Every structure is written in structure tokens, then in C-alpha cells.
Amino acid sequence: APFHQQIGALSGRLLGEFDTPDAVVALELARLYAYFGFGHETRQILNLVEIDAPDTDILAEMAIILDDGHAPQGSLFAGQLGCDTAAALWSALSYETLPNDSAIDLKAIQRNFAALPRHLRLYLGPLLSRKLTRAGHVESADQILRMIDRSQPEETADASMARAELAEAKGKPEEATSELETVAQSNAEPSADA
């Protein structure tokens, strides 16, 4: 069902008798918000009611990553870059800057990124690519951008910024300048940075 129908149906069931939030519905609603990339809303729902369910801390940290582009220092995902699971992807996303002294399972990151729904790949892909580029994992960053290209016919400003950094890392300053000029003229959020 479309986003608004799913959210509407769950929101209508959130409050029970005496306006008491239903913890089961709240958890479903928080997961749905996270699935669609709404971090702040996810955290609001999680804070609305005490949910006694496994992985709510993980869901809350994913929500922070969705909003801020990284998790706070000491994240639950920190130190999991070498895992052969989705934890490697979320660990990479949790760092503001990827550490140089950690083993990174780049294949697990790419595989689990490819398994994300299309809208999350488009949203998180440029961020992940830029982190990988800055850490020197140029080929993996390039693969992430290619996965975005397959699902997004039009280039976004964030993807162009990631592509500019990647071109610079590959020693192609003319290509990087061209991408940056496109972003600067796009009047999008990263225009000032470009």
C-alpha cells in the first residue's frame, strides 16, 4: 500500500483506551517510518511509549543515521565493519569518518546496500559513497554509485557531489569540477558546499 495509507492505518490504531499508546502498534509504526527514511518520526514514536522489544535501540540508531548521516560516538554499530551481515553496512553508515585501522568487509557492505529498498539506496547511497571515497575505498564507492544509477535515471545533487569526490580521488579534476559546477547551479542543499 502507499505510504500514506500504511501510516494512516497504523496511526489510527496507535492510541487505545484512555489515549494510552499501544506498544505493538508503536513499534510497527516506528519500523515503517524507518523503512521510508523518516528518522525523526521513528525516534518520536519510540520515545512516545516504552517498548519492550528487542532491537529498539538498533532501530533508534538507524533513525539517527537517517537524519544526521552518522550515529553518535560509541554507536551500537561501531566496530562491526568486518561483519559479513547488514551490520557492516550500518556500521559504515554510523561513522562520520570511516576508521583506517579497522578491517572492512566491503563485499558485505555492497551486498547489503543492494538489498535495501530503492528509495533507501537513493537516499543513503551518496552518503555511503562519499564515506568510502574519503577512506580510500574508491572501487567500492564507485560500485555504490553504479547501484544508484541503475535505479535513478536522473542525477541528484547528492549523487553528483559523491561523483565529484570520486572523480577527484581517481585523479580526474576536470570531471570533478564539472560535477561540482552542476551541483552549485542546482540550487539544492549541497550547492553551497559545491
Side-chain angles (χ1 to χ4, degrees):
F3 171 74
H4 66 279
Q5 287 179 357
Q6 293 185 59
I7 294 293
L10 284 173
S11 294
R13 296 181 12 232
L14 181 60
L15 297 178
E17 189 176 2
F18 307 114
D19 290 334
T20 305
D22 182 319
V24 173
V25 175
L27 183 58
E28 276 185 70
L29 189 57
R31 286 181 175 150
L32 188 63
Y33 274 127
Y35 174 82
F36 281 105
F38 292 96
H40 180 74
E41 290 79 0
T42 301
R43 287 184 284 165
Q44 277 189 316
I45 296 296
L46 290 174
N47 291 332
L48 179 67
V49 62
E50 189 161 324
I51 299 173
D52 186 25
D55 303 330
T56 53
D57 291 342
I58 292 172
L59 186 59
E61 285 210 11
M62 288 173 138
I64 293 170
I65 292 168
L66 289 169
D67 280 347
D68 299 342
H70 59 86
Q73 195 109 19
S75 163
L76 294 171
F77 294 115
Q80 297 187 45
L81 290 167
C83 291
D84 187 30
T85 65
L89 169 65
W90 288 98
S91 183
L93 289 166
S94 75
Y95 287 99
E96 192 165 3
T97 303
L98 290 175
N100 293 328
D101 59 345
S102 296
I104 300 176
D105 190 335
L106 296 169
K107 296 289 185 200
I109 291 171
Q110 291 174 24
R111 182 177 60 251
N112 287 287
F113 178 78
L116 289 175
R118 178 181 181 271
H119 60 276
L120 286 179
R121 285 196 314 270
L122 296 175
Y123 181 64
L124 294 172
L127 172 69
L128 179 59
S129 178
R130 291 176 79 183
K131 288 180 185 200
L132 290 168
T133 298
R134 291 173 185 167
H137 303 289
V138 176
E139 290 303 317
S140 292
D142 196 24
Q143 288 297 322
I144 296 298
L145 287 177
R146 288 176 195 224
M147 287 183 219
I148 296 170
D149 289 345
R150 287 185 214 128
S151 52
Q152 177 69 22
E154 288 187 26
E155 187 83 2
T156 64
D158 288 329
S160 291
M161 282 294 287
R163 201 169 306 294
E165 284 190 26
L166 185 60
E168 186 69 32
K170 289 181 172 182
K172 299 178 180 179
E174 299 85 15
E175 189 177 316
T177 300
S178 174
E179 292 285 355
L180 289 172
E181 285 174 357
T182 301
V183 176
Q185 295 171 8
S186 71
N187 197 26
E189 187 176 332
S191 293
D193 289 339

